[in-house]
Amino acid sequence: MKKLIICLIFINFYSFSQNKSTSAIYDLIIVMDDETKEIDKKYGYIQKAIDAAKELDYILVFNSNEANFYQKENNSLDNTSKYMANAICNIAKNNYINIEKKHILKENLNDGYLFKKDEFLVKDTLYTNWELTEEKKVIGNYLCFKATTKKKTIKLVNEKEKEFYETVTAWFCPSLPYSFGPSNYAGLPGLILELQERDFVFIIKSINFDVEKSVIPLQSDKIISSKEYYELKKKRMELLKEMAGQK
């Protein structure tokens, strides 16, 4: 299979390398288990996110080494629904991926309460450690192969944080020789056309070559880790609760 991938990349590389940049648009499907849906009945936030996802597009703009990934603006939906959909998928306002540096920088969503605009960037995990398989399927007109990786998540169990590892599945296309995909995933010998996590799926909607959009590198005087962001978010949420209780 590896020989096949290398051959396809060689055949297609020259034609694609002439493009200034390429964009891919993805649909999002949020899938929650029955237990989560039952818990959500009181507030309905998850259901709002599921409904909002049906109306949202996610855009990946990339060149040979860099990419941006973000949700296309949709003013027909309320901000809470969009925020919940992005939070479930861990999507920031803008994501900047650099293959050479093997990192992803995220522009935090400015909610007007917890964080200020341009307060910092979050350096997150870029998943590039894949296990390739020979399993294949056709997505649109593209032959794709299956790859998997493990994602570390932190969950509260009996009020204590514990680490878990979940399997993430990607279907990538060797004839599109770009090592990018939606969310935090890159490093495969072909563009990811479908990405499956436990709670959601990104599926390719369209691909446009030689577009006028350019990849925008993100820069900031302050860059924090995803762990630091998680701790800062908890502290500020606790502070907001205290302030609300004093009123």
Side-chain angles (χ1 to χ4, degrees), residues 57-246:
D57 286 334
Y58 289 81
I59 300 177
L60 178 70
V61 178
F62 53 92
N63 53 42
S64 60
N65 190 53
E66 303 169 295
N68 290 126
F69 183 71
Y70 56 92
Q71 176 228 304
K72 183 180 180 182
E73 189 55 57
N74 186 325
N75 294 322
S76 66
L77 299 172
D78 65 271
N79 290 332
T80 300
S81 298
K82 290 186 289 186
Y83 182 89
M84 286 299 301
N86 290 329
I88 289 170
C89 306
N90 193 26
I91 301 301
K93 181 179 179 182
N94 191 4
N95 300 262
Y96 168 68
I97 302 101
N98 189 301
I99 291 292
E100 184 178 355
K101 295 180 180 179
K102 294 183 178 180
H103 73 206
I104 178 169
L105 296 177
K106 297 190 170 188
E107 183 180 0
N108 186 63
L109 289 168
N110 173 31
D111 59 8
Y113 295 97
L114 297 180
F115 305 106
K116 299 176 183 178
K117 183 180 179 181
D118 302 325
E119 185 175 349
F120 52 77
L121 294 177
V122 178
K123 189 175 182 179
D124 206 352
T125 301
L126 182 62
Y127 294 92
T128 59
N129 186 24
W130 296 95
E131 181 178 341
L132 305 182
T133 77
E134 295 187 3
E135 189 174 345
K136 57 189 176 182
K137 71 175 181 178
V138 175
I139 299 176
N141 295 321
Y142 296 101
L143 177 64
C144 297
F145 291 87
K146 180 180 177 180
T148 61
T149 190
K150 295 291 185 181
K151 175 186 177 182
K152 182 174 72 174
T153 59
I154 299 175
K155 298 180 182 179
L156 286 175
V157 179
N158 297 324
E159 299 184 355
K160 293 183 179 181
E161 293 182 354
K162 289 192 175 182
E163 292 184 355
F164 293 87
Y165 288 86
E166 299 173 359
T167 299
V168 178
T169 300
W171 292 91
F172 67 97
C173 178
S175 63
L176 297 172
Y178 294 109
S179 296
F180 297 106
S183 191
N184 290 34
Y185 300 93
L188 280 165
L191 183 67
I192 296 174
L193 300 191
E194 184 175 313
L195 181 80
Q196 304 169 2
E197 285 202 35
R198 187 188 66 170
D199 298 328
F200 61 87
V201 181
F202 281 108
I203 302 176
I204 196 70
K205 184 175 182 178
S206 64
I207 302 172
N208 301 299
F209 301 101
D210 202 13
V211 296
E212 294 182 1
K213 293 181 181 179
S214 299
V215 177
I216 302 174
L218 299 181
Q219 297 179 342
S220 175
D221 293 332
K222 185 176 182 180
I223 297 176
I224 64 176
S225 67
S226 56
K227 184 177 180 180
E228 289 172 324
Y229 169 72
Y230 177 73
E231 294 298 328
L232 181 60
K233 186 175 182 178
K234 283 201 304 182
K235 288 180 181 179
R236 294 194 179 181
M237 289 182 70
E238 290 170 0
L239 181 59
L240 277 179
K241 291 178 181 178
E242 290 177 6
M243 294 173 62
Q246 293 174 359

